[in-house]
Structure formats: structure tokens, C-alpha cells
Amino acid sequence: MPSLSENTLFGMGNPLLDISAVVDKDFLDKFGLKPNDQILAEDKHKALFEEIVKRKNVEYHAGGSTQNSVKIAQWMIQKPHKVATFFGCIGTDRFGEILKKKAEEAHVDAHYYEQSEEPTGTCAACITGDNRSLVANLAAANCYKKEKHLDLDGNWELVKKAKVYYIAGFFLTVSPESILKVAKHASDNNKIFCLNLSAPFISQFFKKHLMNVMPYVDILFGNETEAATFAKELGFETDDIAEIAKKTQNLPKENTKRQRVVVFTQGKDDTVATVGEKVTMFPVVDIDQSAIVDTNGAGDSFVGGFLSALVQEQVLEECIRAGHYSANVIIKRVGCTFPEKPDFH
């Protein structure tokens, strides 16, 4: 295995503080939420944030999809510290300080763009059984500016140091121009750029931005629902997940030196991935359903485990195995949290 150096893995996204609590169906109905979904907060959800913090056993965790993934990757890698870099925007407030502290504790090299106009973003994770409905109030996360942060010499140097890049599709709603700059850099230098479909609404309402980035995507992640929505939006005319993966792999690509890899997770069902010209199914780690505490962060942690093996230049099968391991650990815990050390060999 190659020895890893600092800043090999670069992530950029929406840093959010997760506020998670167990709720009931009435709570979901009151705010018009589906049990298992991810949406952006609207005015009608203001009261939701006021109510969820009053629930008993409410928990606060550093979150945001990309930040979760790079944190899990760093946890899987352990040493050296700061293999993972993270960029995103926060507010100058208590929640922002918590995010800074949590990133430091996770040994992630976080460089936040800090501004005082908007407060640090939050995400309400409304848990019912093994479902989770996420409502993100981006606030500060929405204020990321390419020219105020990414373009600065010191920051761009950190981008250039990386070999693997990962950005969740959620960031397409914030700064598509930042994503394109990073994606083009990766493509031009034959480095690996990874993107996540993240949520059905990204394919539905941000399709133009998504498809602008797609030619630069070396590895695309998503779950079965996101894959189905993406296929529908692109007129693939199939709901067979293996076929969707294949058609997605064959979409136009800039850097032809690397064949695109498509990886779709399906909860407890097999993970589907394109391996060369074939589509292969990879069974997940068996788990007793009663051991599942919280599926929030399962997708993020799968990607984190995958990336930890990818930066160590492991083959695809190993990357998926690492992803399955980390997701299996995370769903037995509340929020996207992990024990002190992984037990992965």
C-alpha cells in the first residue's frame, strides 16, 4: 500500500450541524415529510427546527454529506492525520465553533469560509424506526463563494495536492462553478473525481448543473431511489438498476484514460457496480435488523469507507468491501458517529 500523505483526499460541500431526534408519524405528517427522504427546508419548516430541539434525547452531531464521508475516510485510514481536506462555508457562531472542533477531533484538515451574514447550517434528522427524513436548512452553507475561498492561492494549493476528489451532489445547489473548477482540474491531471447523486431532487431540479459536471465524473455514487430518478430524468426507459448503471457509465466522458465507474447502493440489498464492461452485484454485510439504530449517514459512510481504500489505490472490490464495513458500523449508532478505531482488515 502506498504511504499516504496529508491532503490526498479533497472534499467540498455543505457543512451542517445535524440535530437528530426520534419522532412519530404525527410529527412527519404535520410538516409534510416522507419517512425516508432528503429535502431542503422551506418557510413551512421553520417551526420544525424549533420543535425538534425540544424533543427528549435530541442529539447534535457534525454533519453534512461530504463532510461525513471525508471524516469516515479519515477514521478508516487513522494515520497519518489530515489525509482528508474539507472546504465549505459556516457562520461565525456557536454551531460553527462546534463544527470546527468536531472536524479537528476527527483529524480532518477543514478550511471553512467563514462569514457573518448567515448562521451555520443545520439539518434536522427526523428518525422513525429505521427510517430517517432529513430537512436541511443550508443557511451559511449556501454562501460558499468560489472567488472568496476556492480561488485563493493557499486554498487552491490544497486542491492541487489531492489525488482523489469527492463532492456530494447536494453542493450543486450552492456552487456549481466551484465543482466544475475542481472537476476540470482532476480531469486535466488524470486524477479521480467522484460525485454522488445525493437525493432525487438533485436530478429533478438541478439536472442542468449535474449534467454539466457528469463528463468529468470518474466514479458516481447513488442509492436505488436516486438511480431510478436519474434514469427517469434522462429518459433511460428502464427501472432495472444494473441497466441504469451501465447506461450511466456510458454517458459522455472527458478523460477517456479512465472508464467511469458507477456504484449504486440498495440498503440491505446488494450493491451494484460497473466493473469494466460488466455490472456486478456485491452483497452487503449481514446485519440483524434489530441492531440497526439509525440509517442516517449510511450512504455517506459507505462512500467514506470506499474513499479510504481508493486513496490507498485498492481495487474496486476492496473499495466496496471497505464501504460496506463502515456503513455497517455507522447504522448501529446514532448519527454519523463511529467508535475510536475501525476493526477492518
Side-chain angles (χ1 to χ4, degrees):
M1 288 211 283
S3 65
L4 285 170
S5 49
E6 288 185 4
N7 311 111
T8 306
L9 172 65
F10 176 84
M12 178 167 62
N14 300 332
L16 305 173
L17 191 74
D18 282 349
I19 306 169
S20 69
V22 173
V23 301
D24 49 25
K25 188 178 180 303
D26 291 347
F27 185 92
L28 297 181
D29 292 344
K30 180 177 177 180
F31 295 106
L33 304 177
K34 293 177 191 155
N36 219 15
D37 202 11
Q38 307 99 312
I39 61 165
L40 293 177
E42 296 168 42
D43 282 345
K44 67 178 181 189
H45 299 115
K46 279 221 164 58
L48 181 153
F49 287 87
E50 288 158 19
E51 279 188 37
I52 198 165
V53 295
K54 295 181 188 142
R55 312 273 313 184
K56 63 175 196 298
N57 301 337
V58 59
E59 298 206 15
Y60 294 86
H61 297 286
S65 185
T66 306
Q67 187 167 244
N68 281 343
S69 294
V70 298
K71 204 177 280 183
I72 296 277
Q74 181 64 56
W75 170 71
M76 288 282 284
I77 290 162
Q78 290 284 309
K79 291 268 167 59
H81 292 164
K82 297 190 173 181
V83 168
T85 317
F86 179 74
F87 285 7
C89 182
I90 58 174
T92 49
D93 51 20
R94 185 171 72 89
F95 284 178
E97 288 306 315
I98 293 174
L99 285 185
K100 284 200 278 196
K101 187 167 144 289
K102 294 287 185 191
E104 205 175 313
E105 284 169 8
H107 308 299
V108 168
D109 194 14
H111 293 257
Y112 296 115
Y113 168 48
E114 296 180 47
Q115 50 73 58
S116 50
E117 263 129 69
E118 286 280 342
T120 297
T122 49
C123 177
C126 311
I127 317 284
T128 51
D130 60 4
N131 284 324
R132 52 99 185 103
S133 198
L134 306 179
V135 184
N137 179 27
L138 296 184
N142 210 17
C143 300
Y144 190 84
K145 299 277 183 289
K146 175 176 164 290
E147 59 287 353
K148 295 242 178 92
H149 194 261
L150 185 69
D151 293 345
L152 303 183
D153 290 348
N155 291 336
W156 188 247
E157 281 306 314
L158 286 170
V159 175
K160 292 199 314 206
K161 271 178 89 172
K163 296 191 173 117
V164 174
Y165 301 83
Y166 174 67
I167 300 176
F170 289 124
F171 202 57
L172 287 163
T173 77
V174 174
S175 186
E177 57 287 348
S178 294
I179 301 180
L180 272 174
K181 183 175 181 179
V182 171
K184 284 178 177 168
H185 167 78
S187 181
D188 292 346
N189 294 278
N190 195 29
K191 298 198 271 192
I192 303 173
F193 181 80
C194 315
L195 187 78
N196 203 316
L197 291 175
S198 290
F201 80 84
I202 299 293
S203 297
Q204 290 165 313
F205 307 115
F206 296 89
K207 181 169 133 191
K208 181 172 146 278
H209 293 319
L210 175 61
M211 295 320 288
N212 283 344
V213 179
M214 199 56 74
Y216 304 100
V217 177
D218 296 301
I219 303 178
L220 182 73
F221 297 102
N223 67 21
E224 72 278 39
T225 326
E226 294 148 12
T229 306
F230 180 71
K232 200 167 142 198
E233 288 299 321
L234 265 72
F236 283 172
E237 294 185 346
T238 177
D239 48 17
D240 176 75
I241 192 141
E243 212 175 313
I244 295 171
K246 195 72 208 143
K247 286 185 183 250
T248 304
Q249 180 187 38
N250 291 331
L251 290 168
K253 190 165 187 306
E254 278 293 320
N255 177 12
T256 50
K257 293 194 198 85
R258 292 183 187 277
Q259 187 178 31
R260 183 181 293 119
V261 172
V262 179
V263 184
F264 291 145
T265 57
Q266 308 188 83
K268 60 182 186 310
D269 296 325
D270 293 0
T271 294
V272 178
T274 57
V275 183
E277 298 308 311
K278 296 198 298 291
V279 176
T280 310
M281 303 293 192
F282 296 89
V284 301
V285 184
D286 274 336
I287 184 168
D288 178 3
Q289 290 296 305
S290 65
I292 298 175
V293 175
D294 170 9
T295 56
N296 183 22
D300 295 341
S301 47
F302 169 81
V303 171
F306 186 104
L307 294 171
S308 72
L310 185 67
V311 294
Q312 296 178 74
E313 298 174 18
Q314 299 278 356
V315 295
L316 181 69
E317 290 77 352
E318 274 306 299
C319 295
I320 289 173
R321 199 170 73 84
H324 285 165
Y325 167 80
S326 50
N328 181 269
V329 171
I330 277 33
I331 57 178
K332 296 178 199 158
R333 305 168 67 91
V334 174
C336 197
T337 61
F338 36 82
E340 193 194 342
K341 286 197 159 89
D343 178 23
F344 179 71
H345 308 288

